[in-house]
Amino acid sequence: MKNYILECCVDSVESALNAVKGGASRLELCGNLPIGGTTPGIPLYHQIRKESDVRIHALIRPRFGDFCYSSYELEIMREEIRMFREEKAQAVVIGVLNADGNLNISAMEMLIQEADGMDVTLHRAFDMCRDPFRTMEEAIELGVNTILTSGQQQSCWEGRELIRRLIEEARGRIDIMAGGGVGSEVIKKLRPVTGGTSYHMSGKVTLDSPMRYRKKEVSMGLPSLSEYDIWQTSEENVRRAVEVLKGIE
C-alpha cells in the first residue's frame, strides 16, 4: 500500500527516534502516556526537533480523565496550541465534549481558530461521545482533518465494525485513523475488514529502570504502575508494522 499513514504516539526523545528509525510517517507527541497522554512540554519538542524533522502532531490535553473541560482548562489549551503553532508543529490533536456526551462545538471552534491553519486531529474523545456519526459530521463541518478512534471499544479490533462504517460514511471527507491496540498483526486483520489506510500505535515495550537501589515501600504515582518500568516505543515493532503496510496491495 502506497498511501498509508503510520502515526506513533510517543512521550520521550528515545521513543520518538525509535519510531522514526522504524519508519513512522509522523509522531503524535504526548506527555505521560501511561495515563493516556497529556500535553507535552516544549523542551521535549525542541529535543526531538534537534534530531529529526519528522512531522509532529502535538496532543493538547491539560489533564488525565474526561474531556469536559472548565473555562480555565480551555484557556490553558488555547495557550498550549499557540505555543506549538509558534514552534512550527504541523498539527494539534484535540477533543472537547459537553457533559451530555456531544461534541462541544463552541470550544472546538475556539481551539481550531487558535490553531490558525494547522492540521487538526479529533482524538479519542470521539470514542467517548454519544453519537459517532453525528460527531463525525460535526468534525467535518469544523474542518477537522483526522478522527482517531478505536471504534468506541477498548481496542480497534473490537471496534472494527464501527470503524468500517465510519470509513464508508466519511467517503474521503475526513481521515479515519484506527488506534487502540494497533500492531503489525492487528493491521493484517483489520485492513481487509475496514479498508483503512491510517493507523496509530505506540509500539511500546517495557524496559527495566537502571535504578539499582529501589524503595518498594513508597509509590510516587498510581499504585498500579511501577516506578521502575519504562515504557518506550520499539523500533522493531514500528518496522514490522511498516513492512505489513508496504506489503498490502
Side-chain angles (χ1 to χ4, degrees), residues 226-237:
S226 170
E227 257 72 49
Y228 305 108
D229 285 346
I230 299 173
W231 290 14
Q232 193 172 105
T233 295
S234 160
E235 178 182 343
E236 182 57 31
N237 285 347

Side-chain angles (χ1 to χ4, degrees), residues 77-217:
M77 294 168 77
R78 284 184 67 181
E79 185 169 346
E80 289 171 335
I81 290 171
R82 187 180 311 122
M83 289 191 299
F84 279 103
R85 188 188 74 233
E86 291 171 353
E87 293 293 337
K88 310 300 184 187
Q90 283 84 8
V92 288
V93 183
I94 59 175
V96 187
L97 298 179
N98 289 314
D100 64 3
N102 292 314
L103 197 64
N104 186 328
I105 301 296
S106 61
M108 289 291 292
E109 286 176 335
M110 177 185 71
L111 298 179
I112 291 169
Q113 182 177 15
E114 193 65 57
D116 192 23
M118 301 171 78
D119 282 354
V120 175
T121 294
L122 172 56
H123 59 44
R124 290 186 63 198
F126 180 85
D127 286 326
M128 307 299 284
C129 77
R130 179 184 294 274
D131 183 338
F133 294 99
R134 169 182 166 177
T135 300
M136 181 179 72
E137 294 299 330
E138 290 171 339
I140 292 168
E141 184 67 24
L142 286 165
V144 171
N145 305 94
T146 302
I147 292 174
L148 171 62
T149 180
S150 63
Q152 297 203 324
Q153 299 294 326
Q154 194 62 30
S155 74
C156 61
W157 178 245
E158 293 172 281
R160 60 192 179 276
E161 177 57 21
L162 178 56
I163 293 172
R164 183 193 66 77
R165 292 176 62 202
L166 288 166
I167 291 171
E168 186 177 89
E169 290 291 326
R171 301 189 302 279
R173 295 173 296 157
I174 194 169
D175 189 29
I176 304 297
M177 174 174 281
V182 169
S184 57
E185 294 304 312
V186 169
I187 294 171
K188 285 180 187 177
K189 295 191 300 180
L190 197 62
R191 162 68 181 183
V193 174
T194 67
T197 59
S198 297
Y199 299 88
H200 172 97
M201 68 183 292
S202 69
K204 70 176 181 294
V205 292
T206 305
L207 306 177
D208 192 41
S209 164
M211 285 293 298
R212 294 189 303 276
Y213 177 75
R214 303 188 177 192
K215 182 68 73 174
K216 296 181 179 179
E217 297 83 2

Side-chain angles (χ1 to χ4, degrees), residues 5-10 12-29 44-58 84 87-91 238 242:
I5 295 172
L6 182 65
E7 177 179 273
C8 286
C9 54
V10 301
S12 70
V13 178
E14 292 84 355
S15 286
L17 297 184
N18 287 345
V20 172
K21 291 174 187 174
S25 310
R26 68 193 193 204
L27 305 179
E28 181 191 271
L29 187 60
L44 173 59
Y45 175 86
H46 286 165
Q47 286 297 317
I48 294 169
R49 272 285 167 258
K50 288 178 183 178
E51 303 293 335
S52 174
D53 61 358
V54 66
R55 185 178 177 89
I56 293 179
H57 293 205
F84 279 103
E87 293 293 337
K88 310 300 184 187
Q90 283 84 8
V238 177
V242 169

